[in-house]
Amino acid sequence: MTSIYMNLRQLGFYALFILLLFACTKADTMRPSIEKSLLVIDSLTQKQPEKALLKLDSLLQNTKQLTTLEEAMLLFNKGEALYLNDKFQESLTTHLKCNELFAELNDTYNESRSLITLSGASLHMGDVETSQVYALKALSLAQLIGDKRIEGKAYNQLFKLHFQLKDYDEALTYIQATDSLFSTGVDTTSIIAIKGNKASVHLKLKEYNKALASFSEAMALNQSQRDPKTMVSILNNIGYTYIEAGAYANAEKFLRGSATLNKNIKAINAAPYKGLGNLFLLKAENDSAEVNYKKALEIYIANHNRKEEIEVRDKLVAIAIMSGDYTTALNHQIIRDSLQLNVSNLEKDRLLNFANVNYEVKQKETEISHQKEINNRNQLLLASAIMLFVLILIATGFYIYNTKLKAANKASNLEQRLLRVQMNPHFIFNTLAAIQNITLEGNPIKSSNHIARFSKLIRQNFDYVRKESITLDKEVAMIKNYIETQQLRFNNVFTYTVEIEESLDVKAIHVPPMLLQPFVENAIEYGLKEKKEGGELLLKIEKDSEGLLFVILDNGLGRSTKAKKEKLTEELHATTIFLERLKMRNKGEEKSFMIEDLFDENNNPIGTKVFFKLKLS
């Protein structure tokens, strides 16, 4: 009996040992078939998350047949697939279950991996405080077991958290730490994500070239991966970068490429449509913006992404108001307010997020107050600028009016001076005396001809002096009349020649009136009349590349000899008036004027040459 009892005790002991061994094996082992299935599912998760979820649910139907480790790993993969499919609430619930199982198994490695996804899901749902708790715990576990890869992922999650809090300098520190840990790794997918995150923070810091460089690195890495979903994200982010940089044409190319690729792989990603909506709204193409915002809205509603839905509805409200569709605007606003209320209720106990929102509100109020001050100051500056501009206009008007008045007075004075010079009393009296002598000589026909010529000359002077220009043929006719009148006075002691280039159309060319007479008069009065015989006067008019060339040449006594006998002033020579008239034309013609004294080989004066040019306009 005793021996039977002893045998039964041994049997029971062995049975208990076997049961305990089976229990332990069930808890911390994984069958090869499950491992193989997980490998297949893992490859599907990246490309076909929905198909991966179906397989995982199939394996999880009977948990009694699974070991604890098998169940934990299946739940982990399901949580990852849900996360990649933007189903963050379901991912959070699933990962909480597997994280608890990993903790029971003391599987620190997988527990820390699960914490990373829990942090990410919490952050996507707006629970910043909880996200930070999970990320810091994952970082601590990773450092405990010395796993650089998980440590890098924890840093990356902390980057995302600070990025959402708009603490971009701190976010840049974390993503750089992540990049240094992953740079030597072989996980290309993670490195691509890190490059994208690094680019995002550069974008927020308005370092567009650095952002595009990081996205370019990510795109190059993805070429080997050939992961279309990742490429969608990269293209979308590049599009957003170009929007920020103001390069709208490039932004549209990349966002459309992202949307097309997203559609081809049948992935549920609203970001490209939201980006296109933002782009078209900036370009004031409201219809196109509305179409893309609605596409994004459908996806956000399906994914219960309230925060993004609120943002898109805000845009739709603005578009509806701008389009005058106030009913649609009100409907969007009612839904938006309802969503905001739900979000506020969910987040009211989250101290960190509340503090952040409160800070943003205060900052916005400060900005608004500051902006009002700037606007008031700008309005004052604008009013001052307008008043100054009006005063400048008035002053300019007075200046122009005064300048024109001075010019008119100057022209009037010049006209009177010119008339006085042209018709000086000595010339008139001497001419009349000469005509009287002819009459007394008993030659009435000759006398009558000279009277007609002299009266015509006086009439020409009075008619032409008030005109800005006359034709060249009239000017030549008048100067001939003047010279012949002077020949009468001095009994033909000199002869004259007028040479005009044949190609000149004297009836079409206009010149200032009475421009030649002062110099012809000087040639006669102070050069030719003293000669007893052989006096010659030449008037030459030619055309060159710059305009008309005038030469008045005499073989009289010359200015120098005559100047010794009489004091000649500029007024007498009318040179000052002549130069003033040329200056008023504003063509620089006065620079061409020249009076040259002519001498023979023995340095004796043999005449005077006057030279100047007129530009034809």
Side-chain angles (χ1 to χ4, degrees):
M1 211 41 205
T2 304
S3 82
I4 292 172
Y5 177 72
M6 288 293 295
N7 288 333
L8 285 172
R9 283 186 63 188
Q10 286 178 350
L11 236 119
F13 175 79
Y14 288 130
L16 181 61
F17 176 78
I18 291 169
L19 286 171
L20 287 171
L21 183 63
F22 179 78
C24 289
T25 302
K26 183 179 185 298
D28 57 10
T29 60
M30 186 177 295
R31 288 168 290 174
S33 60
I34 299 295
E35 284 184 342
K36 187 177 180 180
S37 296
L38 285 174
L39 286 172
V40 174
I41 291 168
D42 186 59
S43 63
L44 284 173
T45 299
Q46 296 293 331
K47 299 178 181 178
Q48 296 176 289
E50 288 290 346
K51 192 172 182 179
L53 284 169
L54 290 173
K55 286 186 174 292
L56 287 165
D57 286 335
S58 177
L59 290 169
L60 284 166
Q61 282 180 357
N62 190 357
T63 56
K64 291 180 180 179
Q65 295 178 357
L66 301 172
T67 66
T68 306
L69 182 59
E70 287 172 348
E71 183 181 359
M73 289 304 299
L74 289 169
L75 287 169
F76 177 87
N77 280 271
K78 182 180 179 180
E80 293 298 295
L82 290 166
Y83 184 88
L84 290 173
N85 210 30
D86 296 338
K87 297 180 179 179
F88 302 116
Q89 181 60 62
E90 293 175 53
S91 175
L92 182 70
T93 304
T94 305
H95 265 289
L96 284 172
K97 291 178 184 177
C98 74
N99 186 262
E100 184 178 348
L101 293 174
F102 287 137
E104 289 176 6
L105 294 167
N106 291 321
D107 188 347
T108 308
Y109 170 75
N110 283 314
E111 183 184 359
S112 59
R113 290 173 67 204
S114 179
L115 286 167
I116 296 296
T117 308
L118 282 168
S119 176
S122 298
L123 189 61
H124 275 291
M125 295 175 64
D127 191 348
V128 181
E129 186 177 20
T130 303
S131 175
Q132 186 178 37
V133 170
Y134 287 138
L136 290 172
K137 188 176 180 181
L139 178 63
S140 177
L141 290 175
Q143 291 172 341
L144 180 67
I145 62 177
D147 193 313
K148 299 296 183 184
R149 186 171 181 275
I150 297 176
E151 183 182 355
K153 287 192 173 185
Y155 277 129
N156 188 58
Q157 196 54 47
L158 287 167
F159 150 76
K160 291 179 181 178
L161 187 147
H162 283 277
F163 186 86
Q164 186 161 313
L165 290 174
K166 299 182 180 180
D167 185 5
Y168 301 124
D169 290 328
E170 192 70 11
L172 184 61
T173 302
Y174 281 123
I175 197 61
Q176 286 174 337
T178 307
D179 196 25
S180 64
L181 288 169
F182 273 78
S183 60
T184 57
V186 294
D187 187 352
T188 308
T189 302
S190 297
I191 296 173
I192 289 170
I194 291 163
K195 297 294 183 185
N197 289 338
K198 193 174 180 180
S200 298
V201 73
H202 281 307
L203 177 59
K204 290 297 182 181
L205 292 170
K206 300 188 183 304
E207 298 170 349
Y208 303 122
N209 289 333
K210 290 182 179 179
L212 289 170
S214 294
F215 282 133
S216 180
E217 291 175 10
M219 189 181 292
L221 289 168
N222 194 59
Q223 295 297 322
S224 60
Q225 290 291 100
R226 297 186 179 278
D227 179 6
K229 188 168 184 179
T230 302
M231 185 58 73
V232 167
S233 177
I234 294 170
L235 292 173
N236 188 64
N237 287 328
I238 291 173
Y240 273 83
T241 304
Y242 276 121
I243 289 176
E244 288 292 322
Y248 295 148
N250 289 338
E252 185 173 354
K253 289 178 186 177
F254 281 94
L255 288 171
R256 285 195 181 281
S258 177
T260 301
L261 184 58
N262 188 54
K263 187 177 180 180
N264 291 341
I265 63 174
K266 298 180 180 179
I268 304 173
N269 187 349
Y273 302 116
K274 180 184 172 185
L276 285 168
N278 292 343
L279 173 64
F280 288 124
L281 190 60
L282 285 170
K283 293 169 67 178
E285 296 177 14
N286 294 344
D287 291 339
S288 298
E290 183 179 9
V291 169
N292 285 282
Y293 278 136
K294 284 182 177 179
K295 289 179 181 179
L297 184 64
E298 289 176 4
I299 297 170
Y300 289 138
I301 291 171
N303 293 333
H304 305 288
N305 192 335
R306 294 183 179 87
K307 184 178 179 182
E308 293 289 349
E309 184 182 349
I310 289 169
E311 186 176 341
V312 171
R313 287 192 184 276
D314 279 337
K315 303 288 187 183
L316 289 170
V317 167
I319 291 171
I321 290 173
M322 285 188 287
S323 302
D325 189 357
Y326 302 115
T327 302
T328 301
L330 181 59
N331 291 336
H332 281 303
Q333 186 66 40
I334 291 169
I335 298 170
R336 183 251 182 236
D337 290 342
S338 177
L339 289 169
Q340 186 64 57
L341 183 62
N342 290 335
V343 170
S344 299
N345 289 334
L346 288 171
E347 295 181 354
K348 65 181 179 181
D349 296 325
R350 297 167 187 170
L351 182 61
L352 183 62
N353 192 47
F354 172 80
N356 182 54
V357 171
N358 189 49
Y359 169 76
E360 289 180 357
V361 171
K362 292 292 183 184
Q363 188 181 42
K364 195 67 177 178
E365 289 176 353
T366 304
E367 288 175 358
I368 291 170
S369 176
H370 181 60
Q371 190 62 46
K372 284 182 179 179
E373 291 178 5
I374 292 173
N375 290 341
N376 290 336
R377 191 160 56 247
N378 287 343
Q379 288 176 358
L380 183 62
L381 287 171
L382 180 61
S384 301
I386 291 171
M387 288 181 65
L388 180 62
F389 180 70
V390 170
L391 288 173
I392 290 171
L393 280 179
I394 293 171
T396 304
F398 275 115
Y399 174 78
I400 293 171
Y401 174 76
N402 191 42
T403 302
K404 287 183 177 180
L405 191 62
K406 285 182 178 179
N409 289 335
K410 184 176 181 181
S412 178
N413 291 332
L414 190 60
E415 178 185 310
Q416 292 175 16
R417 289 165 62 193
L418 179 61
L419 190 59
R420 285 197 298 270
V421 169
Q422 303 296 88
M423 300 300 295
N424 65 74
H426 294 290
F427 168 72
I428 294 171
F429 295 148
N430 290 335
T431 303
L432 290 173
I435 293 170
Q436 185 182 28
N437 290 335
I438 293 170
T439 304
L440 292 173
E441 290 174 359
N443 194 342
I445 296 175
K446 186 177 180 182
S447 174
S448 176
N449 289 335
H450 284 303
I451 290 171
R453 182 182 289 111
F454 181 62
S455 64
K456 182 180 179 182
L457 178 64
I458 293 173
R459 186 169 62 252
Q460 285 174 330
N461 275 271
F462 279 105
D463 287 345
Y464 295 163
V465 75
R466 291 178 175 84
K467 293 183 179 180
E468 289 187 8
S469 66
I470 60 174
T471 57
L472 183 58
D473 64 325
K474 290 182 179 179
E475 174 72 9
V476 171
M478 182 180 69
I479 202 65
K480 284 182 178 181
N481 194 16
Y482 175 77
I483 294 171
E484 289 171 4
T485 302
Q486 289 283 43
Q487 282 181 321
L488 168 68
R489 284 181 57 200
F490 300 120
N491 295 317
N492 295 310
V493 296
F494 67 91
T495 61
Y496 78 96
T497 306
V498 177
E499 296 180 2
I500 301 174
E501 188 175 317
E502 291 183 3
S503 63
L504 289 175
D505 186 356
V506 293
K507 292 184 178 181
I509 297 172
H510 283 73
V511 296
M514 297 185 292
L515 206 60
L516 302 171
Q517 185 174 326
F519 302 108
V520 171
E521 181 181 359
N522 287 343
I524 296 169
E525 291 286 344
Y526 307 108
L528 296 174
K529 78 175 183 178
E530 299 294 332
K531 295 192 73 165
K532 302 299 180 182
E533 60 181 11
E536 294 179 1
L537 175 65
L538 172 65
L539 171 60
K540 194 173 183 179
I541 304 173
E542 297 177 345
K543 185 178 181 181
D544 68 0
S545 59
E546 295 182 359
L548 288 180
L549 175 66
F550 292 86
V551 177
I552 301 166
L553 183 66
D554 70 77
N555 65 347
L557 299 180
R559 292 189 306 159
S560 300
T561 302
K562 190 65 180 176
K564 294 175 183 177
K565 299 178 181 179
E566 299 179 24
K567 289 185 178 180
L568 305 178
T569 63
E570 288 295 323
E571 287 75 16
L572 185 61
H573 285 288
T575 304
T576 302
I577 297 173
F578 171 79
L579 291 174
E580 284 181 18
R581 293 180 70 194
L582 291 186
K583 286 178 182 178
M584 288 180 68
R585 284 164 59 85
N586 293 319
K587 295 182 179 182
E589 296 162 333
E590 68 277 3
K591 296 176 183 177
S592 68
F593 175 71
M594 181 181 68
I595 299 179
E596 182 182 356
D597 294 311
L598 304 176
F599 300 92
D600 61 13
E601 294 177 355
N602 298 319
N603 205 30
N604 295 317
I606 57 171
T608 306
K609 179 182 178 181
V610 176
F611 171 91
F612 65 90
K613 290 183 180 181
L614 288 184
K615 292 181 180 179
L616 297 177
S617 56

